[in-house]
């Protein structure tokens, strides 16, 4: 009997070993996933950093006045590039590249995007010529980026992402801007020519198909097909409506500010590229984590990210106010009345995008689309009214108020309400925006900000998440 005891216990030990092994493998997979996400974020950060550096080179090369027009032209190029995708980048993320007929659908999508992008470029160039003239530097830059817009359409990055080849996909997405910097260095810069600057951008995008083949892409996937058999066209157009509306709204404000406050425009454009690059990192990571947004772990991630964003925005506001108080000109070079609403609008837009990912992951996109379309329509109308009144701060505050309103609506849909610390932080933000009128207001803003920060550090909730049964504190 005693001789059998080891055998009797063996199955139990084997089961424990298998469970322990599974636990170790699960932990390894989780660490690998986090390392992969960190790697993707790093690639994206490098790419966007190179984009901002390229803009700084343009600013140095053409001066503030020349860069204002070229910067607007660059925004137009990015807008055409985004709208011309027709939402296919999102559609193909949920398609399996090994499915029957996938390659045909991919090539038909390239054909659709090619034709639409050509039409958009033609319309944009005609519109620019009518508004600013054909002899302007902005027109030359925009015309020279046409090859970049067309080449960028064939990028198989969504297909690589659908295959779980995240690093290769992100590398392919971000290669144009490091490559553009390299070409800038090789040719000795743009030499004051907007046409040369645009051609350097196109040369950077020409690296995408080369890198695509190097990471195992197929040549046929770079060749568009033409026909009416694209079954994904309807779905892609529907998905792109919200994105296109948001992109048009984002581009509207700089064009309005260009007429009302041209001296603030270069700072706004450079700041915008930097902020969009930073927000893009978070957006891309959120996009990869979207399937987990219906789980407690996903909701906890969303909560923590929103908390960090709110605290970061409040910290940035206090930093701007300190710089204003410390400088001899009282911060006049920062244009604080215009800078604060610009940063606040960006911050709350980013908070809204995090919550939007959560809502999409929880299959509540129908309510989300309603919020976005109504909010952006009201924002655009109010900004145009601000332009009619020749008020640049009115334009920026109109955008900010609507961004806050959309974020609040998303908070409600997600079942999130501020805790005591959250209300203190919100009050701190409002008072910081008014701090230029009184030192007492600024002092109260600092006290509220410090109190909210101490509360978060001491593990007090900034936000509370509600359910049908009770308010759930996700900080625990």
């Amino acid at each position: 009997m005693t001789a059998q005891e080891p055998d009797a216990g063996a199955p139990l030990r084997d089961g424990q070993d298998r469970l322990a092994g599974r636990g170790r493998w699960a932990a390894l997979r989780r660490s690998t996933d986090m390392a992969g996400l960190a790697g993707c974020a790093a690639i994206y950060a490098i790419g966007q950093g190179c984009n901002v550096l390229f803009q700084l080179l343009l600013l140095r090369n053409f001066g503030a006045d020349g860069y204002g027009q070229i910067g607007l032209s660059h925004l137009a190029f990015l807008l055409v590039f985004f709208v011309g995708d027709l939402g296919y980048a999102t559609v193909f993320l949920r398609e399996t590249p090994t499915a029957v007929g996938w390659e045909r659908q991919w090539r038909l999508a390239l054909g659709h995007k090619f034709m639409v992008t050509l039409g958009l470029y033609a319309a944009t160039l005609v519109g620019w010529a009518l508004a600013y003239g054909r002899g302007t530097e902005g027109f030359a830059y925009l015309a020279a980026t046409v090859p970049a817009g067309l080449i960028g359409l064939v990028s198989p990055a969504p297909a690589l992402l659908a295959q779980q080849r995240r690093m290769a996909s992100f590398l392919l997405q971000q290669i144009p801007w490091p490559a553009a910097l390299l070409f800038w260095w090789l040719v000795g810069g743009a030499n004051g020519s907007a046409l040369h600057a645009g051609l350097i951008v196109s040369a950077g995008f020409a690296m995408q198909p080369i890198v695509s083949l190097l990471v195992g892409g197929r040549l046929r996937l770079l060749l568009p097909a033409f026909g009416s058999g694209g079954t994904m066209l309807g779905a892609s157009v529907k998905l792109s409506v919200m994105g296109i509306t948001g992109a048009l709204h984002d581009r509207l404000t700089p064009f309005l500010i260009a007429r009302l406050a041209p001296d603030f425009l270069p700072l706004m454009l450079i700041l915008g590229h930097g902020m969009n690059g930073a927000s893009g990192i978070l957006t891309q990571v959120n996009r990869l984590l979207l399937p987990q947004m219906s789980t407690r772990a996903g909701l906890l991630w969303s909560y923590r990210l929103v908390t960090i964003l709110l605290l970061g925005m409040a910290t940035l506001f206090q930093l701007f106010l300190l710089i204003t108080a410390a400088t001899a000109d009282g911060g006049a070079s920062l244009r604080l009345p215009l800078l604060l609403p610009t940063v606040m609008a960006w911050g709350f837009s980013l908070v809204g995008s995090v919550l939007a990912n959560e809502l999409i992951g929880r299959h509540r996109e129908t309510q989300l689309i309603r919020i976005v379309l109504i909010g952006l329509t009201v924002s655009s109308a109010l900004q145009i009214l601000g332009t009619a009144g020749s008020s640049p701060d009115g334009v920026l505050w109109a955008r900010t108020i609507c961004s806050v309103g959309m974020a609040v609506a998303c908070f409600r849909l997600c079942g999130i309400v501020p805790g005591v610390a959250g209300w203190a932080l919100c009050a701190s933000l409002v008072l910081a925006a008014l701090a230029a009128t009184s030192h007492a207001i600024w002092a109260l803003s600092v006290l509220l900000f410090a109190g909210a920060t101490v509360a978060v550090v001491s593990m007090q909730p900034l936000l509370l998440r509600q359910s049908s049964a009770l308010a759930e504190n996700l900080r625990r």
Side-chain angles (χ1 to χ4, degrees):
M1 187 69 181
T2 55
Q4 298 296 325
E5 287 176 359
D7 294 335
L12 179 59
R13 286 196 300 271
D14 289 345
Q16 289 173 334
D17 289 343
R18 283 195 296 270
L19 288 174
R22 290 173 188 169
R24 286 193 296 270
W25 278 110
L28 179 61
R29 283 196 299 270
R30 285 195 296 271
S31 64
T32 303
D33 288 343
M34 292 308 297
L37 291 175
C40 292
I43 292 172
Y44 192 92
I46 291 171
Q48 291 304 305
C50 290
N51 181 16
V52 174
L53 182 56
F54 190 82
Q55 299 305 309
L56 292 174
L57 289 175
L58 290 177
L59 176 60
R60 188 180 69 176
N61 193 264
F62 294 98
D65 293 337
Y67 175 74
Q69 187 176 118
I70 290 177
L72 291 178
S73 180
H74 188 78
L75 288 180
F77 153 66
L78 294 177
L79 180 60
V80 170
F81 184 78
F82 176 78
V83 175
D85 177 73
L86 292 176
Y88 274 118
T90 302
V91 170
F92 277 99
L93 282 178
R94 65 189 191 193
E95 301 294 327
T96 304
T98 56
V100 177
W102 180 90
E103 183 179 306
R104 173 67 176 167
Q105 290 296 328
W106 175 269
R107 295 184 62 203
L108 283 172
L110 292 184
H112 296 155
K113 294 192 291 183
F114 185 82
M115 290 186 294
V116 169
T117 301
L118 273 181
L120 287 172
Y121 263 119
T124 305
L125 287 169
V126 169
W128 191 282
L130 293 175
Y132 301 104
R134 290 183 58 187
T136 60
E137 292 181 326
F139 184 89
Y141 183 88
L142 185 60
T145 60
V146 172
L150 297 177
I151 293 170
L153 294 176
V154 304
S155 168
L160 293 173
L161 205 55
Q163 295 171 344
Q164 299 300 311
R165 299 179 62 188
R166 294 172 175 174
M167 298 285 280
S169 174
F170 273 68
L171 177 64
L172 196 58
Q173 290 177 38
Q174 300 304 315
I175 197 64
W177 297 115
L181 289 177
L182 177 62
F183 283 115
W184 181 285
W185 176 72
L186 289 175
V187 301
N191 297 319
S193 169
L195 180 65
H196 290 169
L199 290 176
I200 290 173
V201 173
S202 292
F205 274 82
M207 293 300 296
Q208 274 193 321
I210 298 173
V211 174
S212 171
L213 296 176
L214 291 176
V215 298
R218 289 174 287 168
L219 181 61
R220 284 177 58 83
L221 296 183
L222 306 179
L223 304 175
F226 298 94
S228 57
T231 58
M232 300 178 190
L233 179 60
S236 69
V237 171
K238 291 176 184 177
L239 287 173
S240 70
V241 168
M242 188 166 62
I244 290 173
T245 305
L248 289 171
H249 176 263
D250 286 343
R251 272 46 174 187
L252 170 67
T253 310
F255 278 92
L256 296 179
I257 294 299
R259 295 184 179 276
L260 299 177
D263 55 334
F264 178 68
L265 181 62
L267 175 60
M268 183 180 182
L269 291 174
I270 292 295
L271 188 63
H273 283 294
M275 292 188 301
N276 290 336
S279 63
I281 297 172
L282 297 177
T283 301
Q284 291 293 337
V285 172
N286 245 12
R287 192 181 184 193
L288 295 177
L289 293 173
L290 190 145
Q292 302 177 29
M293 286 301 172
S294 59
T295 68
R296 184 175 177 83
L299 296 181
L300 184 58
W301 160 266
S302 182
Y303 167 86
R304 286 174 174 169
L305 188 53
V306 169
T307 299
I308 292 171
L309 290 174
L310 290 174
L311 285 172
M313 183 165 46
T315 303
L316 201 57
F317 266 45
Q318 297 301 331
L319 180 62
F320 286 152
L321 292 171
L322 281 173
I323 293 174
T324 300
T327 52
D329 62 357
S333 58
L334 282 178
R335 299 292 300 272
L336 202 65
L338 301 181
L339 184 62
L340 289 182
T342 300
V343 174
M344 185 179 284
W346 166 73
F348 276 100
S349 295
L350 187 51
V351 168
S353 70
V354 173
L355 297 174
N357 273 290
E358 177 180 320
L359 291 169
I360 293 170
R362 294 165 61 183
H363 303 281
R364 304 191 67 181
E365 58 271 9
T366 301
Q367 298 97 316
L368 174 64
I369 290 173
R370 190 180 302 120
I371 290 172
V372 170
L373 293 182
I374 292 175
L376 296 183
T377 301
V378 173
S379 176
S380 300
L382 291 177
Q383 288 183 61
I384 292 172
L385 285 176
T387 305
S390 300
S391 172
D393 52 341
V395 170
L396 294 173
W397 278 113
R399 175 173 176 161
T400 299
I401 291 169
C402 290
S403 297
V404 172
M406 288 188 287
V408 169
C410 288
F411 273 121
R412 293 193 63 183
L413 269 183
C414 292
I416 298 174
V417 296
V420 174
W423 285 116
L425 190 65
C426 291
S428 172
L429 283 169
V430 173
L431 293 175
L434 303 173
T437 62
S438 168
H439 291 298
I441 292 178
W442 182 23
L444 183 57
S445 173
V446 172
L447 288 174
L448 290 170
F449 168 67
T453 304
V454 170
V456 172
V457 171
S458 61
M459 305 303 291
Q460 296 299 312
L462 190 69
L463 305 168
L464 298 171
R465 189 182 293 273
Q466 297 176 326
S467 65
S468 57
L470 47 83
E472 180 185 8
N473 179 1
L474 290 183
R475 188 69 178 179
R476 292 178 301 187

